[in-house]
């Protein structure tokens, strides 16, 4: 599924092409962190968190080879009908949208070439997503301030503790710095997926996020 460089690139595009106000985003910094929030407590991206929360709970998904987070369920629980929805919450929803869209396209692509989900598909997919991420120009890094910590503490699905919010910011900074150092200027030689695959998935994820956020205005 998309790594944090891909999620960050989506945020930067949303803010660049649509603008925060047009999407109902009030705190760009909180929205940026929100776009990685579902991964904080899973145990992969942020070291030494104070607790672990199972992926199926953070992502509203069934554990399987290529899971499909139920972003619509998250929306119904935490966004629809609620006043003053935090930007961390909106960012977390956007994260689930991106994960769902990229994973759904991965499932369809594997089926189209007759490759079952498994170890071979996992290795090829992860390698190609890593290469694609390195083609993206990203620079935004969230920062810790009182507003961010307040939104993290009040995050409805589970409170995000200050220690863990700071750890997520550190991880996000490392991702951006590494992406800049290892940036790829040309289309990589993908092992399994294709440049067209990433173009299509990226456009659908962007359009779905934009449509959802605009629907609140």
């Amino acid at each position: 599924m998309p790594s944090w460089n891909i999620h960050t690139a989506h945020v930067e595009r949303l803010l660049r092409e649509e603008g925060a106000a047009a999407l109902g985003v009030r705190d760009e910094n909180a929205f940026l962190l929100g776009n990685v929030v579902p991964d904080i407590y899973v145990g992969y991206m942020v070291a030494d968190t104070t607790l672990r929360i199972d992926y199926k709970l953070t992502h509203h998904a069934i554990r399987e080879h290529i899971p499909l987070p139920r972003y619509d369920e998250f929306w119904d629980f935490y966004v629809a009908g609620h006043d003053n929805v935090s930007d961390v919450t909106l960012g977390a929803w956007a994260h689930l949208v991106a994960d769902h869209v990229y994973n759904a396209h991965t499932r369809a692509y594997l089926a189209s070439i007759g490759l079952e989900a498994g170890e071979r598909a996992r290795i090829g997919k992860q390698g190609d997503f890593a290469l694609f991420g390195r083609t993206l120009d990203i620079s935004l890094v969230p920062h810790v301030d009182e507003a961010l910590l307040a939104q993290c503490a009040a995050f409805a699905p589970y409170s995000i503790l200050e220690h863990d919010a700071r750890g997520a910011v550190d991880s996000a900074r490392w991702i951006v710095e590494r992406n800049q150092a290892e940036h790829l200027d040309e289309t990589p030689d993908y092992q399994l997926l294709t440049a067209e695959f990433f173009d299509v998935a990226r456009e659908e994820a962007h359009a779905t996020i934009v449509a959802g956020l605009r629907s609140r205005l």
Side-chain angles (χ1 to χ4, degrees), residues 4 25 52 54 85 96 101 125 140 142-143 173 187 192 211:
W4 284 16
V25 171
R52 292 285 188 270
D54 194 274
V85 178
L96 300 187
V101 170
K125 174 180 72 71
L140 288 183
H143 61 271
R173 181 181 300 106
T187 302
L192 178 64

Side-chain angles (χ1 to χ4, degrees), residues 16 34 62 69 73 86 91 109 112 115 125 133-134 173 200 212 215:
R16 181 178 64 252
I62 298 172
E73 181 177 277
S86 74
Y109 182 82
S112 74
L115 181 60
K125 174 180 72 71
R134 290 168 58 192
R173 181 181 300 106
V200 172
S215 73

Side-chain angles (χ1 to χ4, degrees), residues 96-140:
L96 300 187
V97 171
D99 280 6
H100 179 105
V101 170
Y102 281 91
N103 283 7
H105 278 275
T106 301
R107 283 189 178 191
Y109 182 82
L110 293 179
S112 74
I113 63 174
L115 181 60
E116 294 184 3
E119 191 65 9
R120 179 187 168 196
R122 183 188 67 81
I123 293 172
K125 174 180 72 71
Q126 286 185 345
D128 287 349
F129 269 83
L131 287 173
F132 169 65
R134 290 168 58 192
T135 69
L136 303 171
D137 290 310
I138 57 174
S139 60
L140 288 183

